């Protein structure tokens, strides 16, 4: 019995393959559409895509193309071809705005762009584009069944940008470009007041201000020491029991020692 079942599966597989190969060469779009649909429903998305690519010019802009372009976009998404999926979902929404699939495609299109977002440490152009797409979906479909997932994606993408901005500011500190670090941390805290990196940002701003002051020429040292002291106050005001308290107190002690020279 097992041998019979195996033989039948082989026959079905070979038939499917021959059916597919014939469809690739067939000029009959209806027959090609039928095979493409079967490939899609069987989960053979890569094969379906090849047929959809051939069919697209004949069906573009036509009512009967709605099903084709929906399956085409879905196939791209399921095979993780996210650039192409995003484009196809966008095209579907613009081409069939009244379709019952329009909301789903708008969401999946936005999700496609979010899947292209890279790790925070490299260029975030694709992340900004994904944020724009997902926010556009949220604005357009505020009561969507996908709104919870869309909001979660939006938070994830924005958190990535936030991390990127913080790390850029921290890099100035690491390379001893303290002036730029101070400005960058100030901008970061102003732009992201609720950030989980605020304590770190305030500490490294203090560290940058302190390092700049201590290594300054005499004519600029007093002003910069006072700026560093203000940075200390901002840190302990935000979090009196900060994990950086010991290091911050050591900096403050040295700042006060140096400032005494100017009070005499």
């Amino acid at each position: 019995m097992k041998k019979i079942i195996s033989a039948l599966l082989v026959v079905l597989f070979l038939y499917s393959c021959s059916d597919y190969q014939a469809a690739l060469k067939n000029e009959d779009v209806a027959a090609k559409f039928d095979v493409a649909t079967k490939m899609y429903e069987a989960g053979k998305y890569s094969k379906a895509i090849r047929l959809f690519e051939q069919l697209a010019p004949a069906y573009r802009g036509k009512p009967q193309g709605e099903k084709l372009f929906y399956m085409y976009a879905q196939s791209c998404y399921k095979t993780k071809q996210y650039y192409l999926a995003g484009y196809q979902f966008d095209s579907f929404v613009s081409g069939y705005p009244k379709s019952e699939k329009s909301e789903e495609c708008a969401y999946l299109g936005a999700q496609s762009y979010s899947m292209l977002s890279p790790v925070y440490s490299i260029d975030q152009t694709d992340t900004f584009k994904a944020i724009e797409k997902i926010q556009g979906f949220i604005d357009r479909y505020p009561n969507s069944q996908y709104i919870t997932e869309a909001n979660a994606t939006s938070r994830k993408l924005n958190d990535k940008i936030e991390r990127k901005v913080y790390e850029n500011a921290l890099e100035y500190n690491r390379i001893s470009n303290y002036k730029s670090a101070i400005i960058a941390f100030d901008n970061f805290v102003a732009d992201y007041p609720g950030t989980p990196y605020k304590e770190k940002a305030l500490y490294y701003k203090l560290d940058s201000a302190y390092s700049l002051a201590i290594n300054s020429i005499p004519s600029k040292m007093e002003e910069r020491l006072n700026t560093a002291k203000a940075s200390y106050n901002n840190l302990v005001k935000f979090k009196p029991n900060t994990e950086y308290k010991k290091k911050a107190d050591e900096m403050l002690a040295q700042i006060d020692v140096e400032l005494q020279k100017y009070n005499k």
Side-chain angles (χ1 to χ4, degrees):
M1 179 61 71
K2 290 183 178 179
K3 291 182 178 180
I4 294 173
I5 293 174
S6 298
L8 286 173
L9 288 174
V10 170
V11 171
L12 288 172
F13 174 76
L14 292 173
Y15 176 78
S16 174
C17 289
S18 62
D19 200 26
Y20 168 69
Q21 292 297 331
L24 285 173
K25 301 173 184 178
N26 198 337
E27 297 298 325
D28 185 340
V29 292
K32 193 187 295 285
F33 191 108
D34 182 58
V35 175
T37 301
K38 289 178 181 177
M39 293 293 108
Y40 174 81
E41 292 174 346
K44 298 176 181 179
Y45 302 115
S46 295
K47 288 184 175 180
I49 286 172
R50 286 193 64 189
L51 294 171
F52 291 144
E53 288 172 342
Q54 293 183 353
L55 289 165
Y59 283 89
R60 193 172 303 282
K62 296 180 180 179
Q64 59 267 41
E66 180 179 338
K67 180 180 179 181
L68 182 147
F69 287 106
Y70 174 79
M71 292 188 295
Y72 188 5
Q74 283 281 11
S75 296
C76 294
Y77 188 80
K78 292 177 186 297
T79 53
K80 300 183 180 181
Q81 299 181 62
Y82 295 119
Y83 275 115
L84 186 55
Y87 172 80
Q88 290 299 334
F89 281 125
D90 283 351
S91 296
F92 182 92
V93 172
S94 62
Y96 303 96
K98 296 182 180 180
S99 169
E100 63 178 16
K101 301 289 188 181
S102 183
E103 179 182 327
E104 178 191 1
C105 288
Y107 169 68
L108 290 175
Q111 283 295 101
S112 296
Y113 289 105
S114 76
M115 297 300 290
L116 295 168
S117 173
V119 295
Y120 75 89
S121 57
I122 61 177
D123 181 76
Q124 292 298 301
T125 299
D126 284 332
T127 304
F128 282 113
K129 185 172 184 178
I131 289 172
E132 179 185 348
K133 291 291 184 179
I134 203 73
Q135 190 59 51
F137 173 81
I138 292 170
D139 292 342
R140 185 174 181 181
Y141 300 100
N143 300 312
S144 171
Q145 61 178 311
Y146 306 107
I147 200 66
T148 299
E149 295 91 336
N151 282 326
T153 298
S154 179
R155 285 192 297 271
K156 182 179 178 181
L157 292 169
N158 280 288
D159 286 349
K160 191 178 292 186
I161 296 298
E162 188 175 316
R163 176 74 181 276
K164 176 70 171 180
V165 176
Y166 167 75
E167 292 290 343
N168 284 345
L170 186 60
E171 183 61 22
Y172 286 125
N173 174 274
R174 288 172 178 154
I175 63 175
S176 302
N177 187 347
Y178 299 121
K179 287 183 181 179
S180 295
I182 292 168
I183 294 171
F185 282 123
D186 274 342
N187 290 338
F188 175 74
V189 171
D191 292 340
Y192 302 96
T195 177
Y197 302 108
K198 187 170 183 177
E199 180 184 358
K200 293 180 183 292
L202 290 174
Y203 169 72
Y204 283 108
K205 182 196 171 184
L206 164 60
D207 182 72
S208 299
Y210 171 80
S211 298
L212 180 64
I214 292 300
N215 295 292
S216 290
I217 59 176
S219 62
K220 294 184 178 182
M221 183 173 288
E222 182 179 13
E223 178 185 356
R224 289 175 175 174
L225 287 168
N226 283 317
T227 297
K229 190 167 186 176
S231 296
Y232 171 89
N233 291 333
N234 287 335
L235 172 61
V236 296
K237 181 180 179 181
F238 172 70
K239 194 168 185 179
N241 62 337
T242 174
E243 64 176 291
Y244 303 106
K245 189 68 162 59
K246 182 179 179 181
K247 292 181 180 179
D249 285 346
E250 290 173 355
M251 291 183 204
L252 178 63
Q254 187 60 38
I255 289 169
D256 285 337
V257 168
E258 295 296 328
L259 281 174
Q260 286 177 5
K261 298 176 183 178
Y262 296 92
N263 294 331
K264 293 178 182 180

